[in-house]
Each structure stands twice: as C-alpha cells, then as structure tokens.
C-alpha cells in the first residue's frame, strides 16, 4: 500500500498528500513518464475484440461531414471494416471501451496504483483507440480523470474557459467553442490529471518507426462523484426501506385528544400539521446509517454487471484451497467498509475482531494471501461470496 508521505513517480515525484492538497479537484497536472516503459495493457485488436463481446460497454465515435456520430457495441468485424481506412481531420473515428478492469487483471492492478483515492470514488478504466486524427472532440467531464497514454501519442489541449455550452443535438457532449490555454503532446507512459468540468480535447497522433505505424491508445482512470440530488433520492429510498422494516423509532398512531372544533371540516387544521410535522422530525439518521447507505449504494454493481456463479464444493475443500492459494475479489467486485460493517456488491455484513482485520485487507488490496481461517462464520461468509462469484482463488 502506498503511504501518504511516499513520493510517487506516478505523481511526478509528489506524495499522495501533496497531490491531494494541491491538485485533486483543483487544477490539472501533467506528469511526464508517470509509468516508465508503459506501452499499454492490450493491443488494438484485443480492444476491438472486447468491443465485440455482448456484456462489454463500448462505443465507436465517428466524425464525418462536419458531424459527430456515436454507436454502441457490441460490434462485429463488418462495423470496423466500414470505418475509414485513411482517416483525416474531416473523417476520423475512435473506439471507447468501458470497465476494462472488469476483464483484464492487469487493468485492475493498474487501478490499485491509484488507491491513494478511496475505492468508493473509483469508477472504471476506459481504454480508447484512435487512428491518426481521431478523438471524441472538445468536451468536459463531470468526473476526475487521469489520462494515461498507452502506445502512440495524443495531443492534448486544455482550456480554462468558463463557457461550457454544448453543440445542441449532437449524440455526445461537444463544446461549441474551445479556447486553448495549454497544450502538450503525451507519449507512452505520460499522464494528465484533469479535475471535473475542465474543458479538454485530445487528438490521436500516430507514430511511424521503421515503416510500422503505431496508433494512439489512451487509458482513462475515471472517478465518480454522484450528484447530490441522486444521493438524496437514493438515500430517501433507503430510509423508506428501513421505515418499512420498522428500524426507525417512528412508532404509534396519529393522535388528537386535544382536537378543537373547526369552522371548516374540509380544512387541514394547523394542529394536525404541527403534530405530523413534529412526528416526521423524529425521522433521523446517524453517521452509521449514512455509512450503511453509502456502502450498499456505492458498492452496488452497475446494471450490466453479471457475476459468474461458482460450482458448490465441500467446505473442507474450500478451506484447504484458501489455505493454499488465498483469495481475491472478482474483477467486477467492489468491497468497502465502515467500522465493522462490510459492503460487497451492494450487500452488507457485520464482522468484528481478527476476521474484520482480514476483510479490511481484502477490501483494501483486493486480495489476501494464503490463509488458514479459524473463524467458522467468516469461512462460511467467504464461501457464500465465492459461490456467488464475488471472489475467486488467487492463481499460483
Ligand atoms: C479518449 O481517450 O479518447 C477520450 C478521453 C477523454 O477525453 O476523456
Ligand atoms: Co474527457
């Protein structure tokens, strides 16, 4: 695990604490050679292969005849064959594949390098491919993002403009105007951190060496920040469930022993309003309840995520494998905790003592090494998660 006072080459020699204090959510940072010799984790053919799979979220963005076009995957060979073989400024394209960390262990490992930002904020690793001149146009994102350059190069421009008006009717968010404030050519291993709402524009630049063309691939490590309104709506839904489970101290029935005669029987009397208002104010929440809400909500997988259930096995065999191999979170799993409450893929369990220490290590590092589990209840819990496909044995 990174310590907050350790200078990281990933952050251009800054410590995570310095990065958080000076740049995170505040200003952009260009880091040359953030990852030495980084050439990427997969090649264009492998990325295109992912984009052809049913459960993978992918898009092809094409710019032609002065217009932007967006299509969603899964794609097939014909879709790729139809794209311009000789792209130009007037006609180009890019392929974007979301959540590559769900399919590639190396991608999940790459994300662990960014664990100086809480897992609860992590969204996914998106990988893009574009031939020379391709890109998604000038835009801004609502998310914090680290744009790590894989193979090839990308010419980035950023803008401090406050005019964020978008082209109306475009199938993706494209800024109407773009005024460059800074620009850089990023090469393999270079990285650009951008805070939310900062306008940017990246154009793929292919490199040619010994007659071999290398096109641009960019790795976007994206962090999510839910809208306050979304959090409020979801939280009220969560509170409603608790109310239905009678977990809130709102008992009893409406009472009006002091009812006085009203002039209008149809009028909602002020005494009734005051009594109901006082009762509603008894609906309160502690930090534990908010943590429970956040843990279940933020660890809940996106709608398209499906876990592959594992075959049942004898508990003794499971314990032996755990003792021999250790266990890891499945690439699609997210595990968070608060105190002794643990959240995995939207589910909550309470665990204390040594078992909690072990689960915290699993949540932080996404794996635990070979371990003999003494606590029967913990063993059963890990087994259930394994069967559900949330966990997988480490490979030797
Ligand atoms: C890209 O990789 O093509 C786009 C990344 C971004 O601008 O957010
Ligand atoms: Co962007």
């Amino acid at each position: 695990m990174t310590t907050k006072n350790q200078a990281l080459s990933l952050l251009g020699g800054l410590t995570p604490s310095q990065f958080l204090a000076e740049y995170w959510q505040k200003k952009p940072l260009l880091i040359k050679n953030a990852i030495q010799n980084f050439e990427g984790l997969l090649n264009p053919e492998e990325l295109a292969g992912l984009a052809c799979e049913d459960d993978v979220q992918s898009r092809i963005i094409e710019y032609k005849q002065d217009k932007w076009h967006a299509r969603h995957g899964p794609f097939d060979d014909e879709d790729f064959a139809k794209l311009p073989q000789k792209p130009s400024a007037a006609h180009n394209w890019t392929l974007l594949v979301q959540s590559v960390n769900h399919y590639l262990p190396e991608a999940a490992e790459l994300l662990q390098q960014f664990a100086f930002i809480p897992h609860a904020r992590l969204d996914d690793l998106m990988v893009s491919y574009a031939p020379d001149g391709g890109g998604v146009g000038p835009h801004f994102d609502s998310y914090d993002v680290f744009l790590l350059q894989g193979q090839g190069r990308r010419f980035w421009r950023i803008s401090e403009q406050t005019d964020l008006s978008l082209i109306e009717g475009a199938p993706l968010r494209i800024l109407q105007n773009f005024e460059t404030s800074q620009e850089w050519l990023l090469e393999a291993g270079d990285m650009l951190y951008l805070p939310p709402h900062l306008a940017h524009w990246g154009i793929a630049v292919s490199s040619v060496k010994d007659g071999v063309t290398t096109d641009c691939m960019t790795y976007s490590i994206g962090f999510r920040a839910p809208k306050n309104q979304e959090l409020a709506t979801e939280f009220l839904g969560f509170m409603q469930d608790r109310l239905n489970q009678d977990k809130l101290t709102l008992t009893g029935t409406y009472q009006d022993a002091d009812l006085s005669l009203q002039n209008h029987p149809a009028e909602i009397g002020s005494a009734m309003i005051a009594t109901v208002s006082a009762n509603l104010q008894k609906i309160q929440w502690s930090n534990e309840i908010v943590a429970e809400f956040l843990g279940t909500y933020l660890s809940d997988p996106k709608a398209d995520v499906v876990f592959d259930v594992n075959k049942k096995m004898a508990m003794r065999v499971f314990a032996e494998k755990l003792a021999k191999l250790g266990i890891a979170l499945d690439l699609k799993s997210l595990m968070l905790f608060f105190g002794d409450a643990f959240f995995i893929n939207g589910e909550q369990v309470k665990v204390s003592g040594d078992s909690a220490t072990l689960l915290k290590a699993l949540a932080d590092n996404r794996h635990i090494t070979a371990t003999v589990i003494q606590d029967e209840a913990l063993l059963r819990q890990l087994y259930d998660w394994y069967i559900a496909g949330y966990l997988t044995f480490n490979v030797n």
Side-chain angles (χ1 to χ4, degrees), residues 94 96 126 128 136 139 141 147 154 156 200 218 220:
T94 187
L96 308 171
M126 179 186 86
S128 71
V136 297
H139 67 282
D141 300 305
L147 298 155
R154 188 180 283 274
W156 281 106
H200 54 284
T218 302
S220 296

Side-chain angles (χ1 to χ4, degrees), residues 117 135 147 179 196 243 293:
I117 307 294
L147 298 155
E179 284 166 37
L243 198 65
F293 158 67

Side-chain angles (χ1 to χ4, degrees), residues 16 19 22 39 51 64 81 91 99 112 117 129 148 217 237 257 267 305-306 334 348-349 352 377 379:
F19 172 77
E22 288 171 43
E39 295 271 305
K64 63 177 174 193
H91 189 183
S99 300
Q112 274 299 105
I117 307 294
Y129 162 85
L148 172 65
M217 291 182 80
E267 188 180 15
V305 171
V306 181
L334 178 58
Q348 181 188 341
V349 292
S352 54
L379 189 64

